[in-house]
Amino acid sequence: MDTRFPFVDWFRNSSPYINAHRGRTFVILIEGEAMARGRGEQLIQDLALLHTLGVRLVVVFGIRPQVDQALSEAGIVPQRHEGRWVADEAIMACVERVAAEQRLWLEARLSLGLPNTPLHGVELTVVSGNLVMAKPLGVRDGVDYDHSGEVRRVRVSAVQGLLDRGSLVLLPPLGFTSTGEVFDLDAAEVAQHAAMALAADKLILLGEAAGLYDENGAMQRQLTPAEAEPLLSQIEPGCEQARHIAAACAAARHGVARTHLLSWQDHDALLGELFTRDGVGTMITRHRYEQLRPAELGDIGGLLELLEPLERRGMLVPRSRERLEHEIDDYLVIERDGMIIGCAALHRFGEAEMGELACLAIHVDYRGGARGTLLLSGIERRAKRLGLGALFVLTTHTAHWFVEHGFRASDIESLPPLKRDTYNHARKSKILIKSLS
């Protein structure tokens, strides 16, 4: 195959996501470290591309390292408690100045449209303002936080109106009160509340870490809030990752379909997460987007596509569309983001109180995990509900896998009479049985 332009294949494969994201609302947090380390220009280009593709954008920006530098230059040592500084008047003066500078810089870069620049021809209207209302943190653990605050509410109708007019909404980590005061806010909390208030389709948190990892150092691609929150006990309270996990879990529990933890250090993270099936970081969803479920008639096309390569190699007996339609209630499938990546069937032989585990298949790109075991467990649970005492399987290629999962070698005489009579002696399939008692 001609691979002179690998981008073309990537672009073809991304087309379903381009269509899916058009008209959707994304809230994106860019932590201040990204700007301080020179990653702002690239991220702004990515934001402009998303805008061009029809994504409704709310961008929240952090300013922590910039404020730290300003305080250091001013000789101010802030009092800190649980990851937040106590924002007295001197600190708030720095916070307000830095926030204004960062906002102006972002607005200027998002206005860039000169020839030979990535934003040439892109007209972006960027709007900021008093869109987040705040309240003081008050006194906690004996510490008066002064002008450090938390989000009271996001002015949803105002933000929605701006998005409806095609504007990109820019939110600094500041909040306002009806008494005319300004409060310092945590940027992750601002992003979380904006996403929840807008019922955003995605909340994307760009921090230093690439995502969440298990105890073996493996990236966790997808977690539920219940799975992610225990990680908070293993990291420093108030650190960036703790704030991001808390924000992502809260947003997922309050209606945000998908939250993503990505690293601004990865040049391709934002677009790679949004326009590839597997993404590059950790996604937190209230419900798993890869799920095991009973098959439906609408899955027939995906099943045929999954099974055809295995049938061509002789690993599975060919199944016609008509046969799959007739037996569809026997199947379980693993669906990942709309794609069927695994399946297995349970054919019942009630007279012998046995079931056949058939058509166990995993897409070639998703092998090496525990999906086969997941399907087998699902089939075993279904068989037990039906009152079956054993499962049998006929296989030509993967006998060792079944033995590892509790099956034992057997012979044709152990099969139910109907299956025994239709056994294909030419294939010489190995017969394995597993007791369910």
Side-chain angles (χ1 to χ4, degrees), residues 164-336:
D164 290 343
R165 290 194 288 274
S167 300
L168 183 153
V169 177
L170 192 62
L171 299 180
L174 298 175
F176 303 86
T177 71
S178 57
T179 59
E181 295 178 278
V182 183
F183 282 87
D184 171 59
L185 301 179
D186 172 33
E189 187 191 358
V190 173
Q192 169 201 322
H193 281 270
M196 294 189 310
L198 294 165
D201 298 282
K202 289 184 182 293
L203 168 61
I204 300 169
L205 305 172
L206 284 159
E208 189 167 358
L212 304 179
Y213 297 83
D214 65 15
E215 62 276 8
N216 298 316
M219 170 73 75
Q220 299 293 285
R221 294 296 183 189
Q222 183 193 0
L223 297 170
T224 63
E227 293 167 331
E229 284 173 332
L231 299 174
L232 289 170
S233 64
Q234 304 170 21
I235 55 181
E236 179 185 352
C239 71
E240 179 185 273
Q241 191 172 51
R243 294 184 293 107
H244 285 197
I245 293 173
C249 292
R253 284 204 167 98
H254 288 83
V256 178
R258 297 178 180 182
T259 65
H260 304 258
L261 303 179
L262 307 175
S263 174
W264 49 261
Q265 299 184 85
D266 182 348
H267 183 276
D268 300 322
L270 183 56
L271 299 184
E273 182 75 2
L274 293 175
F275 295 101
T276 62
R277 185 174 300 278
D278 296 323
V280 297
T282 297
M283 182 171 68
I284 297 177
T285 62
R286 188 170 183 178
H287 304 291
R288 284 189 170 273
Y289 87 130
E290 180 174 312
Q291 60 174 326
L292 175 70
R293 61 171 176 79
E296 303 168 353
L297 284 174
D299 299 323
I300 297 294
L303 285 168
L304 289 168
E305 186 175 344
L306 171 67
L307 300 177
E308 191 273 335
L310 299 174
E311 293 171 352
R312 191 170 61 247
R313 293 167 56 190
M315 298 179 69
L316 292 177
V317 175
R319 288 164 172 80
S320 65
R321 177 180 290 273
E322 292 73 19
R323 179 179 174 182
L324 287 173
E325 289 175 353
H326 178 70
E327 297 177 344
I328 194 65
D329 291 338
D330 292 352
Y331 281 78
L332 295 177
V333 297
I334 297 177
E335 177 190 359
R336 182 182 179 87

Side-chain angles (χ1 to χ4, degrees), residues 18 28 59 168 303 371:
I18 294 173
I28 301 177
V59 177
L168 183 153
L303 285 168
R371 295 180 179 89

